Amino acid sequence: LKGSVEELGRIQCKSLEQFVGALRKGAAVDVEDMKVSFKAAMDDGGTLRVAMEAFDSRMERWELVTQQEAKRWQAEATGLKEKVASLEEVAKEGARHEAAARSAGAKSAELGQTIQGLQGELNEMRGNLEKASESSLSCGLRRVKDLEDRGNVSLDRVSGEIKLLRPVEFAAVNPTDPSDAPRFANAEAAQRVLQDVAQLVALFDGPAHVEVHSKPQKGGTPAFWDEVAEASAGLVKAWMQENASVPPERVTTKGVAGNKGLNANAVVVRLDKAFFREEDLAGKGGGKGGASPPKKGR
């Protein structure tokens, strides 16, 4: 029995070994077959290789197309971004111009109202000026008439000469006395006349010219009597400045003695010619209202 068991064991072991060997041999054959089949598939012209190469080619083309499309879309996106930025800037500029236009419109309307107001004020001022001018001229003429009614002076409306209806006389000067200077013969009478002269000068806002003509007395040289005439004219100017507030720069003076002038004792005052009509009085024989030389003795 023991021997039978041992024999049975040997048989089982051998059978197991044979089974394992057959299994290994079959597995080796299968692996080899797979290797051969895979190699055949991967060799040139093999189905799997061809399929893989075709797949790789398609993948490469797809990647190239994808990259090209990506670049194109990126370029388009960049262009659109720039256009959007440009449009935003244009919109901002338009908004600024619109705001400036609204501001300019408001200012224009405000200036228009201001101009209308100023135009109204200007028209009112013109009216007032015209009234004032008419009033001033009327008052001035009435004032001239009032001064003339006193009987001391008369204004020639053509030449602008103030004719002295009452004389302003100077005291005689001794040519042998160096301290003897020109003075009024009758200060009170001279004052009345010169006061009216000064008021006429003040009515016309312009310069006045004073000439003192003198007839030389006995003795003394022509130059001496010229100096006396000049000093007498200066005396008239000084009196008007000190007693009637006539600015000295508005009055010019001149002294004329003997045949250089009227060869008579006279005071001649002329206002600015711009206030009067310039006419050739000599050519018209003096005419109405023309200037006439003072009478001798004044």
Side-chain angles (χ1 to χ4, degrees):
L1 179 57
K2 183 177 180 182
S4 297
V5 172
E6 290 177 355
E7 183 65 22
L8 182 58
R10 283 194 296 271
I11 292 172
Q12 289 179 344
C13 290
K14 185 177 179 181
S15 298
L16 183 61
E17 289 176 357
Q18 289 176 351
F19 177 75
V20 171
L23 182 62
R24 286 178 175 174
K25 184 178 180 180
V29 171
D30 291 339
V31 170
E32 288 299 327
D33 290 341
M34 287 179 65
K35 286 182 178 180
V36 171
S37 298
F38 185 76
K39 183 177 180 182
M42 294 301 294
D43 286 342
D44 292 339
T47 303
L48 183 59
R49 183 178 182 86
V50 173
M52 291 295 292
E53 288 179 350
F55 180 75
D56 288 341
S57 178
R58 286 194 298 270
M59 290 296 292
E60 289 176 358
R61 287 196 301 272
W62 184 80
E63 183 178 2
L64 179 60
V65 171
T66 302
Q67 291 177 354
Q68 292 175 348
E69 288 293 320
K71 290 181 179 179
R72 184 173 66 83
W73 285 111
Q74 185 177 7
E76 290 186 3
T78 302
L80 288 174
K81 186 177 180 181
E82 292 177 352
K83 288 181 180 179
V84 169
S86 177
L87 289 173
E88 289 178 349
E89 184 63 29
V90 169
K92 291 179 181 178
E93 186 68 19
R96 287 194 293 268
H97 283 298
E98 184 178 359
R102 286 197 299 267
S103 177
K107 290 182 178 179
S108 177
E110 183 180 353
L111 287 174
Q113 294 177 355
T114 302
I115 290 173
Q116 289 180 355
L118 292 175
Q119 187 66 41
E121 293 180 4
L122 179 60
N123 292 335
E124 183 179 357
M125 291 177 64
R126 284 176 177 171
N128 293 336
L129 182 60
E130 290 176 359
K131 292 179 181 178
S133 178
E134 293 174 359
S135 176
S136 176
L137 179 60
S138 177
C139 290
L141 292 175
R142 283 199 300 269
R143 183 58 179 159
V144 170
K145 185 66 170 57
D146 291 341
L147 290 172
E148 290 178 329
D149 287 345
R150 295 179 183 178
N152 296 317
V153 295
S154 175
L155 175 62
D156 191 313
R157 273 73 163 174
V158 176
S159 66
E161 179 181 337
I162 300 176
K163 294 183 288 185
L164 278 57
L165 303 181
R166 293 190 174 95
V168 174
E169 297 179 334
F170 299 91
V173 177
N174 186 355
T176 62
D177 184 0
S179 63
D180 198 4
R183 63 188 185 279
F184 297 120
N186 186 333
E188 185 177 351
Q191 177 178 345
R192 286 194 296 269
V193 176
L194 293 179
Q195 186 67 44
D196 290 349
V197 170
Q199 291 187 28
L200 279 176
V201 171
L203 282 176
F204 297 87
D205 188 15
H209 181 67
V210 175
E211 288 184 5
V212 172
H213 296 256
S214 65
K215 184 175 182 178
Q217 303 173 20
K218 294 181 179 180
T221 63
F224 171 79
W225 294 114
D226 285 340
E227 291 179 1
V228 171
E230 287 285 356
S232 299
L235 179 63
V236 172
K237 176 179 178 178
W239 188 96
M240 293 172 65
Q241 177 185 351
E242 295 172 2
N243 297 277
S245 301
V246 177
E249 63 273 11
R250 287 185 55 190
V251 180
T252 58
T253 61
K254 182 179 180 181
V256 186
N259 293 325
K260 296 177 183 178
L262 300 176
N263 196 25
N265 297 323
V267 176
V268 179
V269 181
R270 294 186 179 90
L271 299 177
D272 188 1
K273 293 182 179 179
F275 294 112
F276 306 92
R277 299 192 305 273
E278 294 184 1
E279 295 183 4
D280 186 2
L281 301 178
K284 294 186 178 183
K288 184 179 180 180
S292 59
K295 296 180 181 180
K296 295 182 179 180
R298 292 190 178 182

